[in-house]
Amino acid sequence: MTTKPKDAGPTIAALARESFYRLFADEAIPLAGNIAFRTVFSVFPFLIFLTALAGFFGNDNLAEGVVNFLLSVVPARLVEPLVPEIRSILTVPRSGLLSISALITIWSAMGGVDSVRVGLNRAYDIRETRSMWWLYFQNVLFVIGSAVFLLVFALLIVFAPVMIQLAENYAPALKGHFVTIEQLRYPIGITLLTAGVLFCHRVLPAKTLGVLELLPGVVITVVAWVLMSSAFSIYLVNFNTFASTYASLSGVFAAMFFVYLAALVLILGGEVNRVLEVRRIMRMQRFKTADTEV
């Protein structure tokens, strides 16, 4: 009588080794460079589109509110060189440029979204079967949906203090239990980051995967991004070589390099999920084989 094989499970070192091997085998390094370039290239057109869209809905301050919140949770040293340009964009009325900025944003962001899609498809060993027109339409929805979501989030930022004040007026006994946006900015920022990464893994690949299947890679990506942002901020303060190498363009290149590393980590999360999926399939096959031999 044949006994079922024991499932010892892979070690963390083995998972990491296989995931990194797949990362290089899937040519993630040039893909991450493409993502970094197109992301930085599309940031300012996206901000113009965001402010124009906010003006179109009648509230020019919405875009400024959400960008101020996002800047407050990003390491200051990382975005400090870009803040003056970002502020100048947010303070210029651009409601008449809605259509132009939308086209520029979609065009510039399309390459970055496509690169993320290609990277995740390769990570999950998925062949793209969707039509070019559907992918282009998805890119458009991705950009517009992101802008609308940020504006809705800005509305919550604006109305949250008002709701807290009303609650304090009518229920002063509960005042000690209220929390402010300032107190929750980092938990909210990490929640938004996690939701965005999970959304990319769910929507962009050509195969819809379950949330539980995606969580390991998503959590690894978010944790790595948080640790990497702290480490990169310390590096910029104490060991910054970008200023001596790139002079006045050091801020832009530092941001691009960070986005490049972040893109690599994003693809790595997909590789981790695929390694775990393959091992689950192999484990199920071993048990099925053992059952047939009993």
Side-chain angles (χ1 to χ4, degrees):
M1 182 175 180
T2 305
T3 59
K4 293 184 179 181
K6 293 183 179 180
D7 183 23
T11 64
I12 295 179
L15 287 173
R17 184 169 57 251
E18 188 172 349
S19 298
F20 277 101
Y21 172 79
R22 288 177 52 87
L23 185 72
F24 288 97
D26 288 334
E27 299 180 337
I29 291 180
L31 281 173
N34 189 292
I35 294 170
F37 171 75
R38 299 308 292 262
T39 299
V40 175
F41 186 67
S42 62
V43 164
F44 292 104
F46 181 78
L47 290 177
I48 295 173
F49 174 63
L50 191 66
T51 54
L53 189 63
F56 180 78
F57 286 109
N59 193 334
D60 296 332
N61 296 324
L62 283 180
E64 186 173 0
V66 70
V67 171
N68 287 337
F69 177 83
L70 295 176
L71 290 176
S72 69
V73 298
V74 175
R77 293 291 300 183
L78 185 61
V79 297
E80 184 178 357
L82 305 178
V83 168
E85 286 74 18
I86 293 175
R87 300 290 185 204
S88 66
I89 287 177
L90 295 175
T91 55
V92 176
R94 300 177 184 273
S95 57
L97 296 176
L98 181 59
S99 58
I100 298 176
S101 58
L103 292 175
I104 296 175
T105 299
I106 293 169
W107 175 78
S108 59
M110 186 171 55
V113 174
D114 282 335
S115 297
V116 173
R117 179 185 294 109
V118 171
L120 292 179
N121 277 337
R122 290 185 180 181
Y124 289 112
D125 289 333
I126 299 172
R127 183 181 296 275
E128 185 60 70
T129 57
R130 294 167 292 185
S131 68
M132 179 188 66
W133 295 108
W134 166 250
L135 296 179
Y136 180 79
F137 179 66
Q138 188 184 60
N139 292 342
V140 174
L141 290 181
F142 204 92
V143 174
I144 297 177
S146 299
V148 172
F149 172 79
L150 289 176
L151 291 180
V152 172
F153 176 70
L155 283 174
L156 297 178
I157 295 177
V158 171
F159 286 110
V162 177
M163 299 302 295
I164 292 174
Q165 185 61 46
L166 288 175
E168 288 180 353
N169 293 337
Y170 291 99
L174 300 176
K175 183 176 180 179
H177 299 282
F178 295 140
V179 292
T180 63
I181 294 294
E182 179 66 23
Q183 293 171 316
L184 293 177
R185 61 176 181 166
Y186 288 111
I188 291 175
I190 292 176
T191 301
L192 290 176
L193 191 63
T194 304
V197 175
L198 181 60
F199 184 76
C200 289
H201 282 263
R202 283 275 291 178
V203 173
L204 293 182
K207 176 184 176 182
T208 303
L209 301 170
V211 174
L212 293 179
E213 296 178 88
L214 300 175
L215 276 181
V218 171
V219 171
I220 288 174
T221 299
V222 173
V223 172
W225 279 356
V226 172
L227 295 177
M228 189 172 62
S229 62
S230 301
F232 200 69
S233 297
I234 295 173
Y235 165 76
L236 290 178
V237 172
N238 299 289
F239 310 102
N240 187 8
T241 59
F242 287 97
S244 59
T245 305
Y246 297 106
S248 60
L249 296 176
S250 60
V252 176
F253 280 99
M256 187 175 294
F257 182 68
F258 179 81
V259 176
Y260 166 74
L261 296 178
L264 274 178
V265 173
L266 175 64
I267 299 174
L268 177 63
E271 301 287 3
V272 170
N273 287 338
R274 178 56 179 167
V275 171
L276 292 174
E277 181 185 13
V278 170
R279 289 180 179 269
R280 282 195 303 269
I281 294 173
M282 293 175 61
R283 186 165 59 247
M284 292 175 60
Q285 290 176 345
R286 287 200 303 268
F287 279 111
K288 287 182 180 179
T289 301
D291 286 336
T292 58
E293 294 176 353
V294 173

